[in-house]
Amino acid sequence: MFKPIILAHTSLAIAMLSLSQCSPPEGTASTNSSSQVNQASYQRGVQKGKLDGASGLSRTPNRHAADYSEADRDDFFRGYEDGYKRGIHSGPRIMPPTSSQYGQPLKAVKSQGQVAIVEGKRTIAICRTALPNIETTRFISEQEQIVIKSRGAHGPAEVQLFNSRNGAVLGQVKAYELSNGGPTWAAGMAD
């Protein structure tokens, strides 16, 4: 007589346990896993944005399209914006930039032995020249590159090509060599 009651009680416990361990139907995600995916996408966005901001790159989250899917695009972009703001404040800058400073034409600010590339009040890059006296500067390739002619106290001038986004030297030639031709980027810089 006692056995059927115990079996009925055990069957009820097993049925309740089975119901509590059910997963959502196929095609729907649980709220917890969805928030984890969104958080991971947001964190990827923060990392990419911070790197771009600290490197002086333009605010362009689309360059990282391989790092997010259409489903988590909004979370990635939100993270990218937050990371970019942190990145631009972490590096050496003249002043913290405001959103109105982005997209302005670049300017070359000459000083002894270097040219600062500036967008608004924000320094994008420093181009360190071969010689201390800066004579001429000229942006080329839609301001992606800058040509700088520098000279010492005496001797020939140097003409250098720089990446205007990071200050890397891309080419260099003596100004007197340009009278017989030379690279197209150095045109007009001959002695």
Side-chain angles (χ1 to χ4, degrees):
M1 215 188 232
F2 291 105
K3 285 189 177 187
I5 293 173
I6 293 173
L7 286 175
H9 182 65
T10 305
S11 299
L12 181 62
I14 291 172
M16 290 179 73
L17 181 62
S18 297
L19 286 175
S20 69
Q21 294 178 350
C22 287
S23 58
E26 282 188 38
T28 62
S30 72
T31 308
N32 190 21
S33 66
S34 175
S35 68
Q36 289 173 349
V37 169
N38 294 343
Q39 184 64 23
S41 179
Y42 175 84
Q43 288 302 322
R44 277 194 313 276
V46 168
Q47 291 172 342
K48 297 296 183 177
K50 192 171 182 181
L51 280 172
D52 286 1
S55 300
L57 295 174
S58 63
R59 184 181 293 172
T60 312
N62 291 336
R63 78 168 48 95
H64 304 290
D67 293 319
Y68 61 87
S69 67
E70 278 303 309
D72 60 2
R73 181 178 190 263
D74 291 339
D75 295 309
F76 181 90
F77 276 36
R78 200 167 20 93
Y80 183 90
E81 285 296 318
D82 292 345
Y84 194 88
K85 290 173 189 171
R86 291 183 211 161
I88 60 177
H89 292 295
S90 66
R93 304 284 184 248
I94 292 175
M95 283 183 62
T98 63
S99 61
S100 64
Q101 293 173 349
Y102 294 99
Q104 293 184 9
L106 300 181
K107 294 180 183 174
V109 179
K110 302 176 194 176
S111 62
Q112 191 72 19
Q114 67 184 25
V115 174
I117 309 300
V118 177
E119 181 183 25
K121 295 180 181 176
R122 179 174 74 116
T123 300
I124 302 294
I126 302 291
C127 302
R128 303 201 189 284
T129 58
L131 300 170
N133 303 318
I134 311 301
E135 285 188 6
T136 309
T137 64
R138 182 181 72 230
F139 284 104
I140 62 172
S141 303
E142 298 183 14
Q143 293 196 317
E144 291 297 316
Q145 299 172 336
I146 185 169
V147 180
I148 302 172
K149 183 177 181 181
S150 62
R151 187 181 301 276
H154 53 80
E158 290 282 338
V159 180
Q160 294 174 281
L161 176 66
F162 292 89
N163 180 320
S164 60
R165 296 295 173 178
N166 61 20
V169 178
L170 303 174
Q172 185 168 339
V173 65
K174 299 274 187 204
Y176 67 82
E177 294 174 356
L178 297 174
S179 60
N180 297 328
T184 56
W185 55 263
M189 296 283 191
D191 271 346

